[in-house]
Amino acid sequence: MAEVIHLKDNNCGVTKKIKTETQYDDLSAIANITVEELIKKNPDVLVFPQSLEISEDKIEELEVLHLSGTRNKLQECNLKTGNLMGFIGYGTTKITITSRFAKNAETKDDYFLHYLLQKVLSLNIVDMKYSATNKGEFDLLIYMFPTLLKKACAQGLVKQYKTFFRNDANIKGTIDINRHIQKNILFNGNVAYKNRSYTSDNSITELVRHTIEYIKTKPVGEAILSNDYETIECVRIIQEATPDYSKNDLQKIVAKNTRQFVHPFYTEYIPLQKLCLQILRHEKMNYSQNKNEAYGILFDGAWLWEEYLATILTGKELGFIHPKNKAKSGGICVYNGNPRYPDFYKGKQTSPEFMKGNFVLDAKYKHLEGSMNRDDLHQLITYMHILPSENGAFIYPLDKDLKENLSKPREIKGYGGSVWTIGVKIPQDCNSLKVFAGKMKDSELNVKKILGNELCMKYYPG
């Protein structure tokens, strides 16, 4: 049984001490190395966003954990965390990292992380009975399943050569004499034979099918698999593509998938295969058959916060644009052929006299009460100058009960303009995910009100 260490992101809460030398050795294998290096060494670790280059926060350079101290002085050792949340394990040690908004890292009442995931992944299951046990980790795994399934199915069904052992009258292959004698001692019209065919009913699609059937047995399984039409259609396609499915073949299918699937076209099946294996092995608390490899699923808080804000800010109501770095869309040009990608903006690049009404927003998953990082401030002002924009703001999650979640403006010289901080109030002391979601709706309405008319009317009446 794995020993569990409970932490919060960004080193919030009590810094954990290392108890044993074995624990130190396990942690040493995954601490003090970058995300990019961790993924290369440990294929069973899933990190989101999967494409690290889509973020300007340099996720690939982050450390999951920072371990200080030496093995022979355990009392002086401790762990520090950053923006990454989720769980990761190695050997007999397992680490869960909740958001800093969870009341207690050990009870796992992390409504904030679960709410953000459901919003980003468009899952409508806030009525689920949230579990305060380690099943909360299983929820993280199955939340991701529809998204990865849809991405994989968009590339088509994987086809591979597979040997089929048949016993019927439609002979298409090599007759298997020994099996024929065993099964057809008296002539009954059937012949035992085997053939090799290029088919979509193979170890990869069978693994996905087993995962679908397993998820169906869980309390929120049906809600996850029927969340939207596209998910329902993908489930149907997998079911129809695997007519030889048998629940008794589970261990055999898992064993066939221990080697990572690699294909130059079906690239989206690689993370789906990893996720399926983790889901199917979850209850054993050991997702990797190799004791010298890490396992787990991690989410970058900065990426998740930005994608969550996109669900609020984009669209007709507020009209913000959310540029896509990877897709090279929505950027603003510093000069010809060199676009930059602010988190959110609205307005068009034009002359300074038309800057009124333009707005640049920078999403920050950090504490900003009373302070602004110099580099962040310089970047925001640069975007405001290029657009050009009258208003720029940092928007961040606020866990303190402040009367004002909108700061006073800081005036910029030159072209002019103002810089603000906008805190999105994160509800505290909620006893269920449903209650938390209801209060978050109020916070979201407040942000929309601020970014609508209230901001300018408050500080520039008339």
Side-chain angles (χ1 to χ4, degrees):
M1 187 72 175
E3 185 173 357
V4 183
I5 298 174
H6 301 285
L7 301 168
K8 289 186 177 183
D9 72 23
N10 288 288
N11 208 38
C12 295
V14 179
T15 302
K16 292 293 181 178
K17 298 293 184 180
I18 311 305
K19 296 179 181 178
T20 65
E21 292 181 351
T22 299
Q23 195 176 77
Y24 181 92
D25 293 339
D26 289 344
L27 292 170
S28 297
I30 55 178
N32 305 341
I33 61 174
T34 65
V35 167
E36 187 174 30
E37 188 178 354
L38 179 71
I39 295 173
K40 287 180 180 178
K41 291 182 178 180
N42 305 279
D44 284 342
V45 175
L46 278 167
V47 178
F48 294 91
Q50 294 167 255
S51 300
L52 301 180
E53 71 274 12
I54 69 174
S55 172
E56 293 188 350
D57 294 314
K58 297 184 178 180
I59 301 168
E60 69 277 5
E61 297 178 7
L62 298 178
E63 291 180 353
V64 178
L65 298 164
H66 185 80
L67 174 63
S68 62
T70 59
R71 191 172 188 268
N72 59 349
K73 293 183 178 180
L74 294 180
Q75 68 277 9
E76 298 178 8
C77 297
N78 57 56
L79 283 172
K80 292 183 179 180
T81 57
N83 269 357
L84 292 168
M85 298 175 280
F87 64 91
I88 185 169
Y90 186 95
T92 59
T93 303
K94 178 181 172 186
I95 303 97
T96 65
I97 308 173
T98 64
S99 77
R100 62 180 181 270
F101 302 100
K103 285 188 293 186
N104 189 311
E106 295 191 16
T107 58
K108 302 206 180 74
D109 51 355
D110 196 0
Y111 303 131
F112 178 75
L113 174 58
H114 283 246
Y115 180 77
L116 260 59
L117 282 172
Q118 291 185 18
K119 289 284 285 187
V120 170
L121 302 175
S122 301
L123 297 174
N124 186 26
I125 51 173
V126 292
D127 290 334
M128 63 174 275
K129 292 182 179 179
Y130 180 87
S131 173
T133 68
N134 62 2
K135 291 182 180 178
E137 298 158 7
F138 182 76
D139 292 339
L140 296 182
L141 293 171
I142 62 173
Y143 284 166
M144 298 307 304
F145 182 75
T147 299
L148 298 191
L149 176 65
K150 287 185 283 190
K151 287 183 177 181
C153 286
Q155 293 185 331
L157 284 170
V158 170
K159 288 192 174 183
Q160 294 177 324
Y161 280 103
K162 178 181 176 181
T163 300
F164 291 91
F165 296 89
R166 309 290 191 190
N167 185 48
D168 53 44
N170 302 314
I171 305 173
K172 293 182 180 179
T174 305
I175 296 176
D176 188 335
I177 301 298
N178 291 334
R179 196 160 55 87
H180 178 73
I181 293 173
Q182 292 174 1
K183 291 183 173 292
N184 306 300
I185 297 176
L186 297 175
F187 181 74
N188 59 4
N190 291 336
V191 176
Y193 63 95
K194 61 181 179 180
N195 66 352
R196 188 169 174 80
S197 302
Y198 195 56
T199 177
S200 57
D201 192 356
N202 49 61
S203 60
I204 295 295
T205 51
E206 285 282 348
L207 180 71
V208 179
R209 174 68 183 278
H210 277 281
T211 307
I212 289 171
E213 300 303 327
Y214 179 69
I215 291 175
K216 282 183 179 180
T217 66
K218 301 303 173 182
V220 297
E222 288 293 344
I224 290 284
L225 296 175
S226 59
N227 184 67
D228 56 68
Y229 174 78
E230 191 178 355
T231 301
I232 294 171
E233 186 64 13
C234 289
V235 169
R236 183 192 64 79
I237 289 170
I238 293 296
Q239 288 174 331
E240 291 182 355
T242 51
D244 288 343
Y245 162 79
S246 171
K247 64 179 181 180
N248 297 325
D249 293 337
L250 174 59
Q251 295 305 318
K252 181 174 69 176
I253 294 299
V254 168
K256 286 182 178 180
N257 281 275
T258 51
R259 178 178 295 182
Q260 182 174 302
F261 174 74
V262 178
H263 195 285
F265 179 75
Y266 298 110
T267 54
E268 296 294 349
Y269 279 87
I270 298 172
L272 180 60
Q273 181 195 39
K274 292 181 184 180
L275 184 67
C276 288
L277 288 173
Q278 290 202 24
I279 290 172
L280 294 172
R281 293 171 176 167
H282 181 263
E283 290 184 356
K284 294 183 179 180
M285 300 293 288
N286 184 9
Y287 318 110
S288 173
Q289 292 197 345
N290 187 344
K291 296 290 183 180
N292 296 320
E293 286 186 359
Y295 56 87
I297 183 168
L298 298 165
F299 303 91
D300 176 59
W303 167 79
L304 195 57
W305 177 246
E306 182 180 328
E307 293 304 307
Y308 159 70
L309 289 175
T311 67
I312 303 170
L313 302 174
T314 58
K316 294 181 179 180
E317 189 173 0
L318 292 178
F320 279 90
I321 297 170
H322 181 38
K324 299 294 185 182
N325 193 354
K326 186 180 180 183
K328 304 297 181 185
S329 66
I332 58 177
C333 291
V334 179
Y335 48 82
N336 289 340
N338 186 28
R340 299 293 294 172
Y341 300 91
D343 292 340
F344 302 95
Y345 73 92
K346 63 178 176 179
K348 296 180 179 180
Q349 285 187 267
T350 181
S351 56
E353 59 265 28
F354 294 104
M355 64 192 292
K356 188 173 183 179
N358 290 356
F359 212 125
V360 180
L361 281 175
D362 193 0
K364 291 298 176 188
Y365 183 70
K366 61 173 73 171
H367 298 284
L368 289 180
E369 297 90 52
S371 65
M372 295 182 188
N373 179 276
R374 185 179 65 176
D375 292 338
D376 292 339
L377 186 59
H378 289 171
Q379 178 177 263
L380 181 63
I381 293 173
T382 299
Y383 288 145
M384 292 172 65
H385 176 85
I386 294 170
L387 193 54
S389 172
E390 183 181 41
N391 290 304
F394 297 102
I395 184 166
Y396 67 102
L398 175 63
D399 57 345
K400 294 182 179 179
D401 189 18
L402 301 180
K403 291 183 179 179
E404 292 285 345
N405 61 327
L406 174 65
S407 71
K408 292 183 178 180
R410 298 187 182 189
E411 304 299 334
I412 302 173
K413 303 299 181 181
Y415 281 146
S418 305
V419 175
W420 324 67
T421 59
I422 302 171
V424 181
K425 291 186 178 181
I426 309 303
Q428 305 294 309
D429 300 321
C430 297
N431 58 12
S432 72
L433 183 57
K434 187 175 182 179
V435 171
F436 181 90
K439 291 185 177 181
M440 278 299 293
K441 297 292 184 186
D442 294 336
S443 295
E444 292 162 7
L445 288 173
N446 181 254
V447 169
K448 290 178 180 179
K449 185 178 178 182
I450 288 173
L451 291 172
N453 298 318
E454 186 176 291
L455 184 147
C456 293
M457 291 299 294
K458 186 178 180 69
Y459 293 100
Y460 303 104

